[in-house]
């Protein structure tokens, strides 16, 4: 069974999705930046949970990385 993870951008800035998110098996309908107050659904591989990292490059804005993890 695939894991669904909904991310809500509760900032006032767009958040870019780090490309590694998709290399490690996450799927999203839309790979573009997440706009303020927008939600984005990510589908992770079976039997995984999301590990989420967000950071701010002052000159390039906010970025998010989602990696599927297992125990």
């Amino acid at each position: 069974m695939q894991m669904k993870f909904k991310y809500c951008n509760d900032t006032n800035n767009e958040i870019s999705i780090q490309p590694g998110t998709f290399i490690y098996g996450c799927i999203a309908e839309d790979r573009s930046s997440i706009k303020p107050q927008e939600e984005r659904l990510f589908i992770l591989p079976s039997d995984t949970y999301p590990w989420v990292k967000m950071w701010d490059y002052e000159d390039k804005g906010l970025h998010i990385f989602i990696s599927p993890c297992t125990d």
Side-chain angles (χ1 to χ4, degrees):
M1 171 190 251
Q2 294 178 324
M3 165 71 170
K4 293 181 181 179
F5 172 69
K6 188 180 286 188
Y7 181 81
C8 178
N9 178 0
D10 60 355
T11 72
N12 290 322
N13 302 300
E14 282 193 21
I15 299 175
S16 297
I17 303 170
Q18 208 275 343
T21 295
F22 305 109
I23 292 170
Y24 289 104
C26 289
I27 300 168
E29 279 187 12
D30 186 356
R31 293 182 175 206
S32 66
S33 295
I34 305 168
K35 294 179 177 31
Q37 310 309 314
E38 182 180 48
E39 293 182 343
R40 184 69 51 87
L41 181 66
F42 293 89
I43 311 264
L44 285 73
S46 298
D47 300 319
T48 64
Y49 62 91
W51 180 84
V52 181
K53 169 74 174 163
M54 188 170 90
W55 65 95
D56 183 3
Y57 287 124
E58 291 180 11
D59 58 335
K60 296 180 183 176
L62 297 173
H63 295 262
I64 191 171
F65 172 66
I66 300 169
S67 179
C69 293
T70 60
D71 287 333

